[in-house]
Every structure is written in C-alpha cells, then in structure tokens.
Amino acid sequence: MQNNPIQKSVATILASLPPHVQLVAAAKTRTPEELKCAVEAGVTLVGYNYVQEAEAMFSHLDHRVQWHLIGHLQHNKAKRAVQLFDMIETIDSLRIAERVDRYCAEIDKIMPVLIEINSGKESNKTGVLPENLDDLVGEVSQLSHLRIRGLMTMGPRFGNPEDSRLYFKATKAAFDHLLQTKLVTDEFTYLSMGMSNTYPIAIEEGANIVRVGTKLFGER
Ligand SMILES: *Cc1c(COP(=O)(O)O)cnc(C)c1O
C-alpha cells in the first residue's frame, strides 16, 4: 500500500498531525479511485466545494466517510446539501442558515455547522465579516435543526504561508471571544483553518480541523 503516492502522503500527514486535529481531505477534481486510495489509507472526512461533485462521489463511498461541505452553499442547492452532508462548514448568512434549517426540519435531521468568517475582510470572499459574527451566531443558534459547532476560515491565498498567520490568529480570537459569550454551547469546539501550504501554521494557531487537497493528492 505504501507504493501508492496518495496513500503514502495520507499516511505521512495523518502521522504528523497532533491527535486532536482532524483531517478533511479536500477532494475537488479527484477521481473516485484517488479518493478511495485516500480512504483506504485512513481518511475519514471528505470535503467538497460543490454539492453536485459530492453527489457524484457519494455512490462510491456513501457512509464509509463523513462528508463536509467546504465551499459556498448556493441557495438552490441547499435541499440536496442537507440530504448529503454530515457537516456544513460554510454558513455565512442568516438567509442560508434558515434555508438549511427548513430542509433539515423536513427530513428530521440535525445539521452540525461551522460559521465561515471572512477573517481577511476581503470584498471578493465569502464568509461573515468579523464585526457581524456575534449577530449571526446569535441568530443561527436560535434555529432548531442547526448546531453551531465552531468556526471556519479560508484566509487570503498568499504566496507566503506565514502571511496567513494573522488571519488564523484573528479567527482563533473570534472563537475564544464567542466562548466567553452565552451565544454558543459546549458543542462549540471546532476551528477549521489551514490548507496544504498553511495547515502547520493553522495548527499552531489553534486549528483542530485542517482541509488538505494538494498535499494529499498532488497538484490539481
Ligand atoms: C481546495 C480547498 C482546500 C484545500 O486546498 P489545497 O491547497 O489543495 O490543500 C481547502 N479548503 C477549501 C475551502 C478548498 O476549496
């Protein structure tokens, strides 16, 4: 099994992660065979950016893994997303949260969600702006079929990974701040940040979910 490069990199990364850190394999554009290799090497969480792409892969693995939505959720895809995913990492508006809540209620499902924060305050990025985070968390926490389990951030895609540290620090500070409020419960435990080039820095800054694609599967 160690001869397969994907299985090798999965094993290496899994062995390098501290025990409290979970690996989400960011699987966009990969083939079913590539994803199956990763799963055989120990991947248990698979992240997809698009509902349709996850749907195509679901038949190959179904409930052998847990499925995380890590891309922006379009309103017209919310119903299918609710059926497919085990966690939605990208809730960034009350409107999309309410839609997810409504579809969850229809099928009697409780959806764990992360609130995506635009920690770099980039105008072209998704995620709630830091100054609106408390309000959104307060509102989403009222929805009966959603459970806010933590925060997620992308951070700017800089060339130098060290330049992301600031945004990870800001997200961790927002996370710690929310813990001091009555807006979240003791289920608020996840901090999803860091990708192939930045996940070691993200872990240093408090991430306990990292989303890695390229470093597992190779260049896209
Ligand atoms: C693609 C993607 C990743 C992983 O990116 P790599 O640089 O390939 O590791 C992580 N998070 C999100 C939201 C992504 O879209």
Side-chain angles (χ1 to χ4, degrees):
M1 144 173 156
Q2 293 294 331
N3 294 329
N4 177 303
I6 292 174
Q7 293 184 324
K8 216 169 176 166
S9 32
V10 169
T12 306
I13 290 185
L14 282 176
S16 76
L17 295 178
H20 69 280
V21 177
Q22 299 185 14
L23 174 69
V24 170
K28 55 179 174 274
T29 76
R30 309 303 174 174
T31 64
E33 287 66 37
E34 288 174 307
L35 188 52
K36 279 183 195 164
C37 278
V39 170
E40 271 157 36
V43 161
T44 58
L45 306 174
V46 175
Y48 270 101
N49 297 65
Y50 296 107
V51 174
Q52 273 154 311
E53 205 184 351
E55 190 162 31
M57 206 56 88
F58 193 80
S59 60
H60 295 278
L61 287 162
D62 58 70
H63 296 291
R64 284 171 62 194
V65 295
Q66 292 206 335
W67 302 82
H68 283 212
L69 181 65
I70 61 174
H72 186 66
L73 177 55
Q74 291 175 299
H75 288 248
N76 62 353
K77 297 285 171 10
K79 182 172 187 165
R80 193 67 187 120
V82 158
Q83 295 165 340
L84 279 175
F85 288 99
D86 299 292
M87 180 183 276
I88 296 176
E89 294 200 14
T90 51
I91 294 293
D92 66 354
S93 74
L94 180 60
R95 209 168 141 237
I96 194 67
E98 285 177 337
R99 220 175 156 103
V100 169
D101 182 62
R102 177 151 35 92
Y103 288 126
C104 282
E106 280 178 10
I107 60 168
D108 220 359
K109 178 169 177 171
I110 300 290
M111 181 65 77
V113 301
L114 305 183
I115 304 295
E116 181 184 356
I117 175 170
N118 181 351
S119 55
K121 293 200 181 195
E122 294 165 291
S123 55
N124 60 338
K125 280 273 174 68
T126 53
V128 63
L129 289 171
E131 56 266 36
N132 299 328
L133 178 65
D134 284 15
D135 285 348
L136 180 62
V137 167
E139 290 162 343
V140 173
S141 65
Q142 303 301 311
L143 301 174
S144 59
H145 288 72
L146 266 54
R147 294 290 179 273
I148 304 179
R149 299 299 314 272
L151 298 182
M152 180 272 213
T153 200
M154 286 286 290
R157 283 192 186 239
F158 286 128
N160 180 359
E162 268 300 327
D163 293 341
S164 296
R165 191 181 291 277
L166 188 66
Y167 302 97
F168 297 152
K169 272 192 201 294
T171 305
K172 174 67 158 72
F175 180 88
D176 289 341
H177 156 77
L178 281 168
L179 282 176
Q180 303 300 313
T181 69
K182 296 236 175 334
L183 297 171
V184 296
T185 68
D186 57 8
E187 290 184 315
F188 186 80
T189 52
Y190 292 125
L191 194 48
S192 173
M193 44 189 206
M195 307 188 282
S196 286
N197 57 345
T198 54
Y199 76 89
I201 294 169
I203 292 170
E204 284 173 16
E205 299 303 334
N208 55 18
I209 297 178
V210 293
R211 309 176 308 270
V212 182
T214 307
K215 248 200 143 167
L216 299 178
F217 298 106
E219 294 292 338
R220 281 184 293 275

